[in-house]
Amino acid sequence: MTDCAGADGAAAEAGHLPVLVDRVLELFAPAVSNRDATLVDTTLGLGGHTEALLSAYPRLRVIGLDRDPDALERSRERLAPYGDRVRFVHTVYDRILDVLAELDIPSVEGVLMDLGVSSMQLDRDDRGFAYARDAPLDMRMDPTTGMTAADVLNTYSVDELTRILRDYGEERFARRIAKAVVEQRKRQPFDTSGKLVQLLYDTVPAGSRRTGGHPAKRTFQALRIEVNGELDILRAAVPAAIDSLAEGGRIVVESYHSLEDRIVKQALARAATSRTPEGLPVELPGHGPRLRLLTRGAEKAEEEEIEHNPRAASVRLRAAEKRGEDA
């Protein structure tokens, strides 16, 4: 999802590169090369990772999921040369098992998750994800449904706002900001990002801005996560993705902040741990680990890639392989 192009055409698209694409190809190779295989790209976006996978592995088919209809339309154009090797599904990615059931596919050889907001969404002024420019406070990844960021700011209580700013944005001044938001909306409801950014500049102490970056970064992250239910979806999606894998199938996940990475780490670790009760001298049949971890901790991008693709600076990649049912 995070390789999407902006709205300015080919020149902008060239600047939005799939993160760690060579490593993604390498990790999936044992499961999908030189064989008929199916992979689910759960966050298709503009399809940069999928394009690379289809090009590298000619017998691979990809099911591309995305909750953003605009992203799906753009990816259809980009991936048109691959014909029926790609199927496009408008859905949230925690529905992976439902999608596969509807397509009568019992299991797949690969699942890719490239988490977070896409470059395309950041670049679209009308989506309201970016704090660097004034825009309507929307932030919905699927703009056809659900509450907007403005709805959250204009209706949540101080306690509710404090919770999401603290838990999803890891914001030190969560309650101070929440109180300021509630006071401000009594005078005028929030409708654009510029008004929120100005409030944050006025509310967050100047000293913290010198060391903590832009004062709006954490608040915008928190609002986006709340509006889109990102962490709840991720908690459901990783176990579902593991269930969807065939023996020897692989899951690769790219996260971009610590909250996402923690959920992924814990889910993979649980599945890579024996289910045999402690104290038994032997592994019970069918109770062994379901996964074999393929990465030692979370892998990061090299400096050379970060220079060409600054968004790679925050990536954390984890991968695992499905073990046999008799493990």
Side-chain angles (χ1 to χ4, degrees), residues 123-326:
D123 286 347
R124 286 281 302 272
D125 286 351
D126 59 336
R127 302 297 290 274
F129 286 101
Y131 49 78
R133 44 169 110 43
D134 195 18
L137 275 167
D138 193 313
M139 296 195 194
R140 292 173 297 173
M141 291 180 178
D142 182 350
T144 67
T145 186
M147 70 169 58
T148 67
D151 294 331
V152 172
L153 289 168
N154 291 325
T155 63
Y156 278 29
S157 68
V158 169
D159 287 344
E160 289 171 322
L161 289 169
T162 299
R163 174 186 59 81
I164 67 167
L165 293 172
R166 181 191 63 231
D167 294 351
Y168 299 161
E170 300 178 292
E171 172 57 70
R172 289 171 53 203
F173 303 102
R175 181 159 290 275
R176 181 185 298 191
I177 293 169
K179 289 180 177 179
V181 165
V182 171
E183 285 302 311
Q184 174 65 32
R185 76 190 188 198
K186 292 177 182 177
R187 297 187 290 272
Q188 185 178 25
F190 287 90
D191 55 2
T192 65
S193 54
K195 293 177 182 177
L196 177 58
V197 170
Q198 185 57 56
L199 177 141
L200 293 167
Y201 267 112
D202 294 341
T203 305
V204 174
S208 72
R209 298 203 298 267
R210 288 192 288 270
T211 57
H214 197 290
K217 179 179 179 180
R218 292 177 295 277
T219 293
F220 271 62
Q221 173 180 297
L223 288 170
R224 191 198 80 222
I225 290 172
E226 174 70 8
V227 166
N228 296 289
E230 291 178 41
L231 300 185
D232 289 339
I233 289 170
L234 181 59
R235 289 187 186 96
V238 179
I242 294 169
D243 288 344
S244 77
L245 290 173
E247 181 179 344
R250 294 185 165 202
I251 179 172
V252 177
V253 186
E254 294 182 338
S255 306
Y256 294 86
H257 58 73
S258 61
L259 300 174
E260 292 174 339
D261 184 56
R262 190 177 307 133
I263 291 170
V264 174
K265 175 184 177 180
Q266 292 171 350
L268 296 184
R270 280 194 298 270
T273 301
S274 172
R275 292 161 288 167
T276 295
E278 287 188 32
L280 293 185
V282 295
E283 191 89 80
L284 292 178
H287 285 67
R290 301 178 67 207
L291 294 181
R292 177 174 69 91
L293 300 181
L294 299 173
T295 53
R296 180 172 294 182
E299 295 184 358
K300 302 179 182 181
E302 300 288 343
E303 287 300 322
E304 182 178 357
E305 177 170 358
I306 294 170
E307 289 178 9
H308 290 90
N309 189 6
R311 194 174 179 284
S314 59
V315 72
R316 301 292 183 269
L317 180 148
R318 297 181 187 270
E321 180 181 71
K322 187 76 169 284
R323 292 166 58 112
E325 290 300 320
D326 58 349

Side-chain angles (χ1 to χ4, degrees), residues 56-70:
Y57 307 118
R59 295 170 64 181
L60 177 67
R61 293 175 178 268
V62 174
I63 301 166
L65 315 182
D66 207 293
R67 67 198 298 185
D68 187 337
D70 188 30

Side-chain angles (χ1 to χ4, degrees), residues 75-154:
S75 63
R76 285 181 194 275
E77 297 174 7
R78 179 176 190 167
L79 301 172
Y82 297 95
D84 63 3
R85 292 177 61 200
V86 195
R87 301 189 71 160
F88 303 88
V89 182
H90 179 215
T91 191
V92 182
Y93 64 96
D94 62 348
R95 290 194 64 250
I96 181 172
L97 291 173
D98 295 330
V99 170
L100 294 177
E102 291 163 6
L103 297 175
D104 198 25
I105 298 174
S107 60
V108 296
E109 285 68 41
V111 175
L112 172 65
M113 296 181 177
D114 186 16
L115 304 175
V117 67
S118 74
S119 299
M120 179 191 70
Q121 291 162 339
L122 287 171
D123 286 347
R124 286 281 302 272
D125 286 351
D126 59 336
R127 302 297 290 274
F129 286 101
Y131 49 78
R133 44 169 110 43
D134 195 18
L137 275 167
D138 193 313
M139 296 195 194
R140 292 173 297 173
M141 291 180 178
D142 182 350
T144 67
T145 186
M147 70 169 58
T148 67
D151 294 331
V152 172
L153 289 168
N154 291 325

Side-chain angles (χ1 to χ4, degrees), residues 41-72:
D41 185 341
T42 64
T43 48
L44 181 64
L46 240 184
H49 282 105
T50 282
E51 183 177 45
L53 287 159
L54 291 168
S55 177
Y57 307 118
R59 295 170 64 181
L60 177 67
R61 293 175 178 268
V62 174
I63 301 166
L65 315 182
D66 207 293
R67 67 198 298 185
D68 187 337
D70 188 30
L72 283 175

